Amino acid sequence: MNLKQVGLALHNYHSAYRMMPMGCGGTSSGSSEEPLLGNANRLSPLVALSPFMEQQALWEKIANPLQVNRESFPAMGPVPWFDPEKYTPWRQRPEALVCPADPTAEDFPTVASYTINYGDAVMNVGASPLEDMPPYGRTPGALRGMFGYQMVFRFRDVLDGLSNTLLMSEARIGGVRVAKDVSGLIERPAVCIEVHEDDSTEFWPEGRGACWADGSLLSIGVQTILPPNSPSATSEKGELEGVMSASSLHDGGVHVLMADGAVRFASNSIDAGDQDSPTVAEGHLDNGKTLPPGSPSPFGVWGGMGTRASQEIFDPNVLSDPVRTFSKEELAEFAKFELETWHAAKGTGKIQARQVDLTDKGILVLMSEQGDIRRLGLSKFSSQDAYRAVETHQRRMQEKTKLLVEHLSTQLELLEDKQLETFVREWVAFKYDEQSDNPKAVSMMAKLLKPQRGALITRYDQVLEIASTANPEGLRELQEALTTGKRFTRGVELEFLHGRWKLAIDGQVIHEANQPGPYERRQ
């Protein structure tokens, strides 16, 4: 949902300005030596998107001169790596830029979970093609992605088609090591993998850094060279040249935002071509020959997704639907499932895990003894275990559907009898758990639901009718729709927690309503 929100913001930005924001841009003043003069052309596109993500107040602070604790800052801010305790907008990262599955987000308040597509080339890929930036040269032929330093692209430039071109990808906030001063990446990106196995390799002390306001390659850049969750490295030139890989905390791959606004899931096993192939660049290098500009990506489907105009189209089935991020409450429920032994299809090993889910595309979701979530194709397991997984899944679906009908019928009776406070207390899942025991919060929510009672009764009737007549596949679709509040159940979103189907309502409105008003604070 966060990536969808960023995608919508990018499309709205393009509608307003007929172009995408720069990958790195801003004011030319400022540098590491003089950070207060300006942002050194290092602002990321996420800064430009802030007013399109309901962050107008933050944008106003950045876009205008600002004084904090008697220290003055220019319009558009100092360099993005400036102390965020002094220039406060840099620590006011929009929450939509953080993956909810990343537990390290609170430890790094300036870091973003999402990276911008710099393409599938290496040579000077993060540097400006318009001006000299020693030690980097000008290599416009290497700018094959959707973003570039001091460069803007338009949707009309995407000759491969918006649905075939990557805009952004996930990246883990903490725990990702990035090698530095690595030579040979242009001619052979596989060097990146090898140096991570070398004890003598030097690494950036803060990994990616990933400051949401910094558009540099090292900070929030991604290239479709090595497959998702592969190592990353910068070259001997510095942070604007290297191989930066997508990464996530979702087992088996990463979420990606396509240029048409769709969010998909790219697996670690996606076709990534030949990592020993030289990359696209201009001219010849001493140590080998590079591919000429305009060449198809040598890095398979993954590489082709990173190029905007190389005439590369892929089968959309290579990407899967987004994977769910489970809440703490759901993980606690999964931990109650039976721990079972799962055997590999070829008899090469076995694991102990709890079955969490089985998707309609045959992906088995398991929870390890330690609580880690893994997603593996059903074909990877023995036929006996695969059959057991299908049986378990069908049995659980039937049990949950039976409970669904019972619980919705009970909720419907309360709505029809106008017992709204009882309905709220027993059958509403608040954002803040303690609110269900707070009489004031319950009363306030009941008053808010009163005008919607008739619409809820109609929706409940419709859902119960579907549940009583649907086949197993239809029941799966129904439960999926109910947990997202979309499609034919729009307006009704439920959560299955502690063995109960509850109406999911964002309790933020109650939380804010319970805060004292100006008059109460004065009293």
Side-chain angles (χ1 to χ4, degrees):
M1 290 306 297
N2 285 355
L3 270 177
K4 271 190 172 292
Q5 185 177 345
V6 176
L8 179 61
L10 279 163
H11 274 256
N12 288 338
Y13 184 100
H14 191 279
S15 295
Y17 300 112
R18 299 291 185 269
M19 61 182 178
M20 299 282 287
M22 290 184 180
C24 249
T27 55
S28 57
S29 300
S31 64
S32 297
E33 292 74 27
E34 297 178 297
L36 292 175
L37 290 182
N39 52 56
N41 273 322
R42 283 282 291 267
L43 293 188
S44 80
L46 302 179
V47 175
L49 292 180
S50 57
F52 295 87
M53 298 175 64
E54 301 180 354
Q55 298 289 328
Q56 185 65 33
L58 174 60
W59 170 251
E60 294 292 341
K61 288 182 181 179
I62 296 171
N64 294 290
L66 185 67
Q67 188 164 7
V68 182
N69 296 327
R70 299 182 181 179
E71 193 165 15
S72 298
F73 299 95
M76 302 310 297
V79 292
W81 57 88
F82 190 78
D83 186 351
E85 297 302 318
K86 294 181 179 179
Y87 185 68
T88 53
W90 288 165
R91 74 165 184 246
Q92 295 174 17
R93 169 194 61 199
E95 282 305 305
L97 301 181
V98 179
C99 175
D102 199 324
T104 62
E106 294 183 2
D107 299 328
F108 303 95
T110 65
V111 176
S113 297
Y114 308 115
T115 52
I116 57 176
N117 172 22
Y118 267 90
D120 69 333
V122 176
M123 190 177 191
N124 303 314
V125 70
S128 173
L130 306 176
E131 60 181 79
D132 290 329
M133 296 178 61
Y136 307 99
R138 302 187 199 182
T139 315
L143 301 181
R144 291 157 57 90
M146 288 297 294
F147 296 93
Y149 194 109
Q150 292 182 312
M151 292 292 291
V152 295
F153 299 108
R154 296 168 173 80
F155 287 160
R156 71 186 185 198
D157 299 324
V158 187
L159 304 184
D160 291 352
L162 298 181
S163 62
N164 292 302
T165 307
L166 182 78
L167 265 181
M168 301 181 72
S169 171
E170 289 184 294
R172 290 174 56 186
I173 287 179
V176 176
R177 298 201 306 168
V178 181
K180 61 186 302 188
D181 300 329
V182 178
S183 59
L185 293 171
I186 298 172
E187 306 96 304
R188 186 170 162 269
V191 171
C192 178
I193 300 173
E194 296 166 1
V195 297
H196 274 256
E197 300 170 353
D198 188 341
D199 293 338
S200 64
T201 299
E202 291 187 56
F203 293 87
W204 289 92
E206 296 183 356
R208 292 188 67 103
C211 173
W212 76 275
D214 184 358
S216 71
L217 178 68
L218 173 63
S219 180
I220 63 165
V222 67
Q223 293 141 286
T224 54
I225 298 176
L226 302 182
N229 289 303
S230 293
S232 297
T234 57
S235 76
E236 64 273 28
K237 292 182 184 176
E239 60 190 313
L240 302 184
E241 183 180 273
V243 174
M244 302 303 297
S245 301
S247 60
S248 83
L249 288 167
H250 305 294
D251 184 74
V254 297
H255 286 113
V256 294
L257 171 67
M258 306 306 289
D260 64 352
V263 175
R264 307 288 285 160
F265 191 75
S267 74
N268 295 342
S269 59
I270 191 172
D271 171 27
D274 181 11
Q275 274 83 58
D276 289 319
S277 169
T279 59
V280 172
E282 294 180 6
H284 299 280
L285 302 177
D286 292 338
N287 296 327
K289 186 177 181 180
T290 57
L291 299 179
S295 299
S297 177
F299 306 117
V301 171
W302 182 236
M305 286 172 55
T307 65
R308 68 182 182 279
S310 296
Q311 301 181 348
E312 295 178 279
I313 298 175
F314 62 89
D315 182 350
N317 290 324
V318 302
L319 299 177
S320 58
D321 294 333
V323 300
R324 284 191 58 208
T325 299
F326 298 114
S327 66
K328 292 180 180 179
E329 292 80 6
E330 287 176 309
L331 293 173
E333 290 290 320
F334 301 155
K336 299 175 184 177
F337 293 156
E338 180 184 354
L339 192 65
E340 300 174 293
T341 302
W342 300 86
H343 301 84
K346 297 180 179 180
T348 54
K350 59 184 179 179
I351 58 173
Q352 292 280 315
R354 296 175 172 88
Q355 179 174 338
V356 171
D357 194 13
L358 178 62
T359 72
D360 56 352
K361 292 191 175 181
I363 302 299
L364 183 61
V365 184
L366 299 174
M367 173 189 269
S368 71
E369 223 173 336
Q370 294 73 33
D372 299 322
I373 297 294
R374 299 187 65 184
R375 294 173 171 85
L376 299 167
L378 201 59
S379 60
K380 293 183 178 293
F381 297 96
S382 68
S383 57
Q384 184 177 357
D385 288 349
Y387 181 75
R388 184 187 70 205
V390 172
E391 277 196 324
T392 298
H393 178 69
Q394 290 178 344
R395 185 186 74 251
R396 288 180 184 171
M397 289 289 292
Q398 292 169 354
E399 292 171 351
K400 287 179 71 174
T401 302
K402 182 180 178 181
L403 285 176
L404 175 66
V405 172
E406 291 177 3
H407 296 171
L408 288 186
S409 298
T410 301
Q411 294 173 38
L412 182 58
E413 288 179 10
L414 292 172
L415 288 171
E416 290 176 336
D417 293 341
K418 300 182 180 180
Q419 298 183 45
L420 292 181
E421 290 201 8
T422 303
F423 173 83
V424 169
R425 188 181 306 108
E426 297 182 2
W427 296 103
V428 168
F430 285 95
K431 180 177 180 180
Y432 301 94
D433 290 339
E434 68 274 9
Q435 289 175 341
S436 61
D437 298 323
N438 183 334
K440 184 178 178 181
V442 170
S443 176
M444 192 170 299
M445 180 59 77
K447 290 178 181 178
L448 290 173
L449 284 179
K450 187 175 181 180
Q452 307 298 323
R453 188 178 72 90
L456 278 174
I457 289 174
T458 300
R459 286 294 189 188
Y460 273 51
D461 281 332
Q462 293 171 342
V463 172
L464 284 169
E465 183 179 355
I466 295 171
S468 62
T469 59
N471 58 27
E473 182 58 32
L475 291 176
R476 179 184 182 86
E477 291 182 5
L478 173 63
Q479 292 188 21
E480 181 181 333
L482 283 170
T483 55
T484 59
K486 296 179 180 179
R487 298 171 62 191
F488 48 84
T489 67
R490 181 169 295 176
V492 176
E493 183 176 346
L494 303 180
E495 288 185 11
F496 187 73
L497 295 174
H498 311 301
R500 295 189 121 193
W501 285 99
K502 290 189 174 185
L503 183 66
I505 295 178
D506 188 344
Q508 182 65 34
V509 62
I510 301 298
H511 178 71
E512 293 174 353
N514 278 325
Q515 301 306 305
Y519 177 76
E520 294 174 285
R521 284 195 290 268
R522 286 198 299 272
Q523 292 295 96

